[in-house]
Amino acid sequence: MKFKPLFLYAEQETGKDILGNPIKEFVQIEESEGLFSSWTSKEIALDVREITIHNRKILTPCSKELLEQAEKVKFEDKYHSINEIKGDDTNRWRIIVVNRYGSESL
């Protein structure tokens, strides 16, 4: 298995505008590693919500606490929205379910 760099991003307040409204931007909160994982035949057979068509899984050792803080990940030069986090810190790996295609920018 060859892991690739994985960057976690969260929306944070970075300042205020002239009217005092918060200015929010996506800020990198952590760097880790990960790899795309395949859906199993059992997951595909049980899928009635078409999750396997519109999403992908990324396997990562990053802690669940950090993953819960993040809203997006940058993986293989594309930004993906996090839809679901599977697993907890008692296991070696966590799986994050992300949108399938991602975007080039935040």
Side-chain angles (χ1 to χ4, degrees):
M1 293 191 299
K2 182 161 171 112
F3 286 89
K4 297 179 181 177
L6 174 83
F7 305 94
L8 301 176
Y9 286 84
E11 191 174 44
Q12 295 179 352
E13 187 175 319
T14 58
K16 299 222 182 250
D17 65 10
I18 295 173
L19 300 174
N21 298 316
I23 299 172
K24 294 187 176 186
E25 295 180 17
F26 280 97
V27 177
Q28 181 180 326
I29 59 171
E30 184 69 29
E31 181 178 344
S32 186
E33 60 186 8
L35 67 94
F36 278 122
S37 177
S38 300
W39 295 104
T40 65
S41 57
K42 185 177 180 181
E43 287 171 320
I44 293 169
L46 293 173
D47 181 27
V48 293
R49 299 173 289 159
E50 296 186 6
I51 288 180
T52 57
I53 294 172
H54 301 292
N55 296 286
R56 293 190 77 179
K57 298 188 302 184
I58 298 175
L59 184 68
T60 181
C62 199
S63 74
K64 185 164 186 174
E65 179 183 353
L66 281 171
L67 292 172
E68 288 174 339
Q69 292 174 18
E71 297 173 44
K72 293 188 180 282
V73 297
K74 183 178 180 185
F75 190 67
E76 293 187 348
D77 295 325
K78 291 197 177 181
Y79 295 91
H80 301 272
S81 297
I82 297 174
N83 297 327
E84 184 180 354
I85 301 167
K86 296 181 178 186
D88 54 34
D89 290 335
T90 60
N91 299 320
R92 183 174 178 188
W93 306 101
R94 259 74 46 221
I95 294 175
I96 49 177
V97 178
V98 299
N99 62 326
R100 184 167 195 78
Y101 299 107
S103 66
E104 299 295 328
S105 64
L106 289 174

